[in-house]
Amino acid sequence: MTSTLRSSLVLRWMLAALGVILALAVVQELARPETTDLVSSGTAESTLRRAVPILLAGLGGIWAERAGVVNIGLEGMMVLGTWFGAWGALEFGPWWGLVIGIAGGAAGGLLHAVATVTFGVDHIISGVAVNIIAPALTRFLSREFFVDRPGGGLTQSPRVESVGSLDVPFLAGGDLFGWTTPDIFHWIEDRSWFLASDVAAVLGGVTRSVSWATLLALALVPASVFILWRTAFGLRVRSSGEHPVAANSLGVSVVRMKFTAVVVSGGLAGFGGAFIAIEQTGIYRENQVQGRGFIGLATVIFGNWQPVGAFLGSLLFGFADALQLRDRTAVHALLLLVGVALAAQAVRAVLQKRNRPAFLLAAASVAVLWWYAVTEEVVSELPPVTPHVATLLVLVFAAGRLRPPAAIGLPYRRGQE
Amino acid sequence: MTTSTVHAPTPAVELAGITKRFPGVVANDAVDLRVAEGEIHAVVGENGAGKSTLMKILYGMQAADEGTMTVGGSEVRFSSPSEAIDAGIGMVHQHFMLADQLTVLENVVLGAEPTRRGTIDRAAARRDLEDLGRSYGLDLDPDDHVETLEVGERQRVEIIKVLYRGARVLILDEPTAVLVPQEVEELFRNLRELKARGHTIIFIDHKLEEVLAIADTITVLRQGRTVATVDPSEVTAHQLAELMVGSDLPTPSTEPRADDDHVTLAIRGLSIPAAEGRPALDGIDLEVRRGEIVGVAGVEGNGQGVLVEAILGLREATGGDIALDGESISGWPVRRRREAGLGYVPEDRHRRGLLLDAPLWENAMLGHQTTAPYARGPWIDRRGARDATTDIVADFDVRTPGIDTTARALSGGNQQKLVIGREMAAGPRMLIAAHPTRGIDVGAQAAVWADLRTARADGLAVLLVSADLEELIGLADRLLVMLRGRIVAELDPATTTPMQLGGHMTGASGDGDPS
Ligand SMILES: Nc1ncnc2c1ncn2[C@@H]1O[C@H](COP(=O)(O)OP(=O)(O)OP(=O)(O)O)[C@@H](O)[C@H]1O
Ligand SMILES: [Mg+2]
């Protein structure tokens, strides 16, 4: 890829992000004074923090599925990550907590790999088994290790420390060699310039007191792209998910590729779990994963089995999560945005002469706008399901363009044809 | 190797006494094969004779039970394809081994990637690919996704894949089965080029004229044994057929059909818009009368496949109408169309025709699972289904140890015979047959042609899509030529030569739209 092409790609992404912020800012202006939290540094910060575990689960899903193994056990592997993360953080400090959490998830991945790859067990069955075994195991371990400690119990650990965070110098007023740099984003945000202040608020939110673990997780997105698409190892992993027999006939050790990918997948999920325990809540508590492993799988589909796509999906889920906690009225204002976006899509469909989608989109748009007009606040169940609805919409409207690995979920025996 | 003596030069490959047993069959029974350095060596034989098995043994995909292999003078024993690759052997399989969603380049370098600082060195790989392409006349774009390629191009990817690994000995299993005549010529040009550069080629083929045209030596297998090794200049196609199946070379032919104006299948203005670059259908008008065989010719990917899928109901048409015996079936689901007497021989027997891991008797029910003798009411009639399958296996000469064998264990040609038998046995009114004799031996070919002729005399209407122009001209009562989703010519087979037909197919004869 030439560098001009790459920079134009970066430019396009930046423009898209700007477009999203602009749309949110406009909605916020329209909905004032009902809400002020649609674009704020707090929402941005919270979105990112809530997106990280989902992102890690999504990356885990991509690694396994690219190698042809469905990993519905991500949820259980995250559970292992929460427990081992917290235990490691208690024993050896937060950094070791992350490492041990990753190892715990990877152990779950190893179990799944042995079942599916070595013994040819159905991927779904093995994944469900992991999901059942993991919480039982952590309950058992809690009884062994947490019950006797102050603050610990059968279902929770004592509080643990987090790994610390960073304020980016100059942009968000971080320290540089003992000198406190100016906080540029905050300064712009305070000016209340339309759009510019909104952008600064968002950027400030994601650059101020950002956890080192978050940065590490974000770095795994380009790292996954690099490994899976640029290295020989990555090509072998992907070929094992596309056409294992062909790969094997060329001397690729398909079994080893699948094994490695599924263990990596578990490790990523474990990292996600450890992040929840150590960074988000500062404690291990039973059931604290709350389906994020499954949500991660949804972002795999949403993102078309691409790490960047899964990242966008995780931001969407993180945003919904953040809004629901911070400001219910902001969600109501969002209905306006959704209604307008649906209307725009409907117009596009009309222009492309796709009548049925156009009709459906228009109807949906009218319904959402009407809902916005006649209500003051949305039911509290709505925000958490919106990303799921978005994933369903992706499935409905972009199914033809989704490219799952061709041999996904299929059993593979060495030497078969 | 320099075991140089004054006698015959060391053969590139020598197989001696190779034996391979599968449950219930001896696929190879002490086979001998001696391939000289730098020759094109054809291996022919009836379906199930053990050709593919022998090649897989040579390529390390299966292990022989007995026998020895010598490559370049030294004895070898392969336990995996990568060892065969290291010994300079490469294979292009009967069914392509390509990952559709990867690019040409990725498919080629997989397993032998050039790397630079930890990443795949795409620039170097591209250079190598283009060099190979240039020097052997194999034209390909390294960045194309394989799923967008046509059959001939996929085959070139397979050949480059093998050459890229530095293979000196190339094995090609039925390379011409999926190609149209022009592509076959192109392939043969490539093979001659390879030979000129000192490569040794072993290839399997059922079309004897092709074998005679290109091979330097021919080995004939029959029921797992080597029956002869002959020089093509000393045998005729007839003698070769005699050696292979013990019967004469068949030619497709039909008697003039009885006058019958009843229209079985009528298609009016059938259209399907193009999706993802594939050519679709554009206002197809077509009629097949009772007791008539209508042949459809065309270069692969010009809409024949889409037409077949549309008639069967696998694809929704946006315009036009399809009627069976005067009744519109456009809105019907596939099952209703099948129950109404629409028979279907799919182009790709692995993807559309068979459940490879299911036993033969279950495979024989597919598409007829709701009707006698396979079902009674809502239940599967096991006894009926098994009896019917036994009949199909006997009537259509499917060589198999039994009806509980999985479809995967059958040789390619025998799988095809099972599919044809299944459709013919159900007594359809209208048969849609896509490449019905692809990959089956000359004896079985004669049998299929005879079956079609008999069924036609009994009033069966047939739409025959084929890449075998001799077959089309010999069997069809009328010939239609498709180009870019349209019917561009209707020809009388009695006065058409394969060359003329080929011209119409490529649009070279002036009545296709130029673009
Ligand atoms: N994996 C397998 N398991 C059991 N039987 C097998 C297997 N593979 C091949 N056979 C049997 O071995 C015999 C030889 O098969 P093979 O595929 O070598 O035939 P072929 O000469 O290539 O035929 P064709 O021209 O039809 O491709 C057949 O009877 C087939 O049923
Ligand atoms: Mg074969």
Side-chain angles (χ1 to χ4, degrees):
Chain A
M1 214 182 292
T2 63
S3 64
T4 53
L5 195 76
R6 203 176 316 191
S7 60
S8 86
L9 206 69
V10 171
L11 197 70
R12 262 174 51 194
W13 279 109
M14 284 167 62
L15 281 176
L18 199 66
V20 170
I21 296 175
L22 176 63
L24 290 172
V26 168
V27 169
Q28 180 162 309
E29 288 304 318
L30 291 177
R32 231 180 251 287
E34 192 189 355
T35 173
T36 54
D37 226 5
L38 220 41
V39 259
S40 69
S41 56
T43 306
E45 188 266 346
S46 177
T47 296
L48 185 60
R49 199 148 44 87
R50 296 187 170 276
V52 167
I54 297 170
L55 167 67
L56 289 167
L59 288 178
I62 287 172
W63 270 84
E65 300 208 349
R66 279 287 172 184
V69 178
V70 177
N71 190 356
I72 209 167
L74 283 171
E75 179 79 7
M77 297 171 200
M78 287 185 93
V79 170
L80 293 175
T82 55
W83 193 92
F84 281 98
W87 178 78
L90 276 179
E91 294 284 334
F92 311 105
W95 280 110
W96 279 109
L98 288 183
V99 172
I100 291 167
I102 291 171
L110 189 66
L111 179 65
H112 190 52
V114 170
T116 56
V117 182
T118 311
F119 293 109
V121 174
D122 183 273
H123 300 188
I124 302 295
I125 292 177
S126 165
V128 169
V130 171
N131 290 341
I132 293 172
I133 292 168
L137 180 69
T138 54
R139 166 68 75 100
F140 168 76
L141 291 172
S142 295
R143 199 180 64 202
E144 295 293 308
F145 293 96
F146 290 157
V147 169
D148 306 330
R149 300 193 186 210
L154 253 191
T155 60
Q156 67 174 43
S157 71
R159 292 208 68 84
V160 300
E161 245 180 88
S162 63
V163 295
S165 61
L166 160 86
D167 295 320
V168 178
F170 297 107
L171 301 180
D175 288 348
L176 203 63
F177 309 117
W179 169 56
T180 307
T181 59
D183 188 341
I184 296 179
F185 285 147
H186 199 221
W187 185 82
I188 301 177
E189 189 184 345
D190 280 349
R191 297 298 91 118
S192 303
W193 294 328
F194 176 71
L195 194 57
S197 293
D198 292 313
V199 171
V202 170
L203 291 177
V206 298
T207 48
R208 203 168 296 127
S209 64
V210 42
S211 160
W212 290 106
T214 302
L215 292 177
L216 194 60
L218 291 178
L220 288 174
V221 177
S224 294
V225 173
F226 180 82
I227 295 171
L228 286 174
W229 275 270
R230 287 294 157 92
T231 66
F233 166 73
L235 176 61
R236 292 172 186 206
V237 167
R238 285 185 297 130
S239 70
S240 304
E242 295 286 347
H243 199 323
V245 179
N248 184 242
S249 80
L250 296 175
V252 172
S253 170
V254 173
V255 168
R256 199 161 69 216
M257 293 303 127
K258 283 178 184 266
F259 241 87
T260 316
V262 175
V263 171
V264 169
S265 167
L268 287 164
F271 185 6
F275 186 93
I276 295 173
I278 300 172
E279 292 300 306
Q280 261 178 16
T281 52
I283 190 172
Y284 162 79
R285 213 181 274 123
E286 223 169 74
N287 297 330
Q288 77 191 133
V289 176
Q290 284 186 323
R292 285 190 184 81
F294 297 114
I295 295 173
L297 278 180
T299 67
V300 174
I301 299 169
F302 179 91
N304 199 9
W305 287 265
Q306 305 278 348
V308 174
F311 174 53
L312 294 180
S314 70
L315 284 181
L316 191 62
F317 278 96
F319 184 57
D321 223 12
L323 277 190
Q324 171 206 6
L325 285 175
R326 296 177 60 83
D327 183 358
R328 193 74 53 68
T329 53
V331 179
H332 182 239
L334 261 192
L335 286 178
L336 184 62
L337 183 64
V338 173
V340 173
L342 283 171
Q345 285 294 321
V347 170
R348 226 182 88 191
V350 169
L351 292 179
Q352 290 173 348
K353 294 200 168 59
R354 294 181 305 145
N355 290 331
R356 205 148 46 157
F359 177 76
L360 289 173
L361 285 164
S365 161
V366 168
V368 171
L369 290 175
W370 179 78
W371 187 7
Y372 173 74
V374 301
T375 55
E376 289 292 310
E377 199 176 278
V378 294
V379 288
S380 62
E381 284 80 7
L382 183 70
V385 302
T386 38
H388 294 278
V389 174
T391 303
L392 278 179
L393 288 178
V394 167
L395 278 177
V396 171
F397 290 107
R401 264 168 285 156
L402 290 180
R403 284 276 172 276
I408 193 168
L410 300 179
Y412 169 74
R413 292 188 303 275
R414 203 183 149 263
Q416 79 172 10
E417 281 165 57
Chain B
M1 279 297 114
T2 46
T3 36
S4 55
T5 54
V6 285
H7 309 300
T10 326
V13 172
E14 186 163 17
L15 305 181
I18 298 286
T19 298
K20 176 76 184 174
R21 298 182 198 88
F22 289 113
V25 275
V26 183
N28 288 157
D29 188 359
V31 176
D32 297 325
L33 180 71
R34 190 187 156 92
V35 183
E37 183 88 45
E39 71 167 351
I40 300 184
H41 193 117
V43 177
V44 298
E46 60 187 344
N47 295 129
K51 307 179 293 293
S52 297
T53 305
L54 188 66
M55 294 303 126
K56 284 180 202 160
I57 290 171
L58 176 55
Y59 187 55
M61 292 185 75
Q62 284 172 351
D65 298 328
E66 288 162 32
T68 56
M69 303 200 285
T70 317
V71 175
S74 49
E75 193 173 327
V76 291
R77 189 160 285 274
F78 302 138
S79 60
S80 77
S82 39
E83 292 173 21
I85 292 169
D86 291 342
I89 297 174
M91 177 158 174
V92 175
H93 298 268
Q94 194 164 0
H95 297 98
F96 293 153
M97 295 264 198
L98 296 171
D100 281 357
Q101 295 181 37
L102 303 185
T103 64
V104 169
L105 186 142
E106 289 173 327
N107 268 289
V108 170
V109 300
L110 178 60
E113 306 86 353
T115 53
R116 200 162 61 100
R117 280 186 269 126
T119 66
I120 297 176
D121 190 347
R122 280 170 200 261
R126 182 167 294 125
R127 230 174 11 249
D128 290 350
L129 235 75
E130 279 161 2
D131 284 350
L132 276 176
R134 240 193 322 279
S135 50
Y136 294 100
L138 296 157
D139 191 20
L140 276 175
D141 181 347
D143 295 322
D144 276 342
H145 282 257
V146 167
E147 63 187 342
T148 65
L149 300 186
E150 289 176 14
V151 187
E153 296 174 305
R154 283 174 198 228
Q155 192 164 58
R156 290 204 284 278
V157 180
E158 288 278 27
I159 294 176
I160 290 211
K161 211 163 102 177
V162 166
L163 292 175
Y164 182 80
R165 286 165 171 70
R168 302 298 300 161
V169 179
L170 276 79
I171 305 168
L172 297 108
D173 195 350
E174 295 194 33
T176 64
V178 291
L179 303 180
V180 296
Q182 282 82 353
E183 289 175 317
V184 170
E185 270 170 35
E186 163 113 38
L187 172 71
F188 283 1
R189 257 201 310 282
N190 295 150
L191 294 187
R192 290 201 183 94
E193 183 66 30
L194 286 165
K195 176 180 146 182
R197 281 157 189 271
H199 291 278
T200 305
I201 291 158
I202 308 175
F203 84 109
I204 297 174
D205 200 340
H206 283 296
K207 298 194 188 121
L208 301 182
E209 309 81 56
E210 290 177 0
V211 171
L212 291 172
I214 188 148
D216 299 314
T217 315
I218 304 170
T219 293
V220 184
L221 294 190
R222 190 156 148 195
Q223 290 176 3
R225 294 202 189 88
T226 318
V227 291
T229 297
V230 295
D231 183 332
S233 61
E234 287 163 11
V235 289
T236 62
H238 291 268
Q239 289 165 327
L240 212 47
E242 194 89 33
L243 283 171
M244 277 171 63
V245 291
S247 69
D248 198 7
L249 191 65
T251 45
S253 67
T254 43
E255 308 81 50
R257 68 183 273 273
D259 260 348
D260 188 341
D261 284 337
H262 176 84
V263 175
T264 304
L265 181 77
I267 296 177
R268 297 266 166 273
L270 191 70
S271 294
I272 295 181
E276 289 173 24
R278 262 187 293 176
L281 300 184
D282 185 9
I284 298 284
D285 289 310
L286 183 159
E287 272 183 3
V288 187
R289 283 184 279 275
R290 186 152 60 199
E292 185 183 41
I293 299 181
V294 173
V296 178
V299 176
E300 184 119 353
N302 274 279
Q304 311 94 305
V306 183
L307 175 64
V308 167
E309 290 176 8
I311 297 174
L312 208 71
L314 294 170
R315 242 169 197 265
E316 206 179 332
T318 47
D321 188 53
I322 304 170
L324 187 65
D325 284 332
E327 190 179 0
S328 171
I329 60 169
S330 291
W332 292 13
V334 179
R335 181 160 63 150
R336 188 151 167 219
R337 296 184 197 207
R338 298 281 267 154
E339 285 168 355
L342 206 56
Y344 173 48
V345 177
E347 169 172 19
D348 184 339
R349 58 186 168 235
H350 275 191
R351 284 227 288 264
R352 287 273 163 80
L354 296 165
L355 298 173
L356 288 174
D357 290 307
L360 296 193
W361 70 270
E362 284 185 1
N363 272 290
M365 309 201 292
L366 298 180
H368 311 284
Q369 69 276 21
T370 51
T371 47
Y374 302 105
R376 207 183 308 130
W379 310 108
I380 299 279
D381 183 350
R382 284 179 83 98
R383 167 93 55 85
R386 295 179 66 91
D387 289 348
T389 310
T390 310
D391 290 345
I392 292 173
V393 166
D395 294 348
F396 292 85
D397 189 28
V398 181
R399 307 276 170 86
T400 168
I403 58 169
D404 289 310
T405 311
T406 60
R408 192 186 290 284
L410 293 194
S411 79
N414 282 305
Q415 292 171 343
Q416 182 73 0
K417 287 193 269 181
L418 179 75
V419 172
I420 291 174
R422 165 177 89 200
E423 297 307 319
M424 299 298 281
R429 278 191 281 174
M430 172 80 221
L431 180 70
I432 316 287
H435 311 284
T437 58
R438 184 176 268 182
I440 67 181
D441 69 45
V442 287
Q445 219 168 16
V448 170
W449 288 335
D451 289 329
L452 284 177
R453 268 197 299 272
T454 324
R456 165 178 171 272
D458 293 340
L460 175 69
V462 180
L463 189 71
L464 174 68
V465 178
S466 181
D468 182 343
L469 304 189
E470 303 272 349
E471 175 175 273
L472 281 174
I473 291 174
L475 280 185
D477 298 300
R478 275 188 303 133
L479 273 177
L480 304 175
V481 182
M482 284 190 76
L483 185 63
R484 294 186 206 104
R486 267 186 268 166
I487 292 177
V488 293
E490 173 164 349
L491 306 169
D492 178 358
T495 59
T496 309
T497 65
M499 267 337 265
Q500 287 169 332
L501 188 52
H504 282 282
M505 286 162 63
T506 49
S509 52
D511 43 11
D513 59 352
S515 67

